[in-house]
Amino acid sequence: MSGQDKHPIECQDSLDISMVTDFSIELNKALEIGQPVEIQAAKVERADTAALQLLCAFFLDARAAGITVEWQGPSDALKSAALQLGLAEHIGLDEASLH
């Protein structure tokens, strides 16, 4: 499947509570479209619990709807935050999911 067949979601440098409402709207639109999703997260420098919980809910909803979600270049900061909170496996950022 080419990148054109995926719905891209580009993350900003900060995934925190201040952007959760807008990010939630974007994630919900991706679910409504129903195409595979590619989350572009190379720019992420900081991610907090609220944003990672939102991503967990999104991944659960996507799985329930049969929608594939892939990461494109997740930053070390994002992976580290997910690991510290114990959420990496739930959002596909654990080592097994990335290889």
Side-chain angles (χ1 to χ4, degrees):
M1 180 173 291
S2 72
Q4 294 176 347
D5 298 321
K6 298 176 188 171
H7 180 79
I9 295 176
E10 187 170 348
C11 298
Q12 302 302 315
D13 61 345
S14 183
L15 288 180
D16 62 21
I17 197 163
S18 69
M19 51 61 64
V20 166
T21 300
D22 291 338
F23 195 43
S24 177
I25 292 168
E26 188 172 359
L27 294 174
N28 284 328
K29 283 182 186 177
L31 291 174
E32 289 174 12
I33 291 169
Q35 290 181 316
V37 175
E38 180 178 79
I39 303 176
Q40 302 161 352
K43 295 179 188 176
V44 177
E45 296 175 6
R46 192 182 86 197
D48 73 3
T49 305
L52 289 167
Q53 288 175 329
L54 176 60
L55 282 166
C56 281
F58 171 72
F59 270 75
L60 284 172
D61 291 344
R63 279 188 209 115
I67 298 170
T68 303
V69 181
E70 296 178 357
W71 291 99
Q72 180 187 28
S75 70
D76 289 340
L78 177 61
K79 291 186 281 189
S80 176
L83 285 169
Q84 287 177 0
L85 293 169
L87 300 175
E89 184 177 345
H90 299 286
I91 60 174
L93 287 176
D94 57 317
E95 289 300 317
S97 296
L98 293 173
H99 294 290

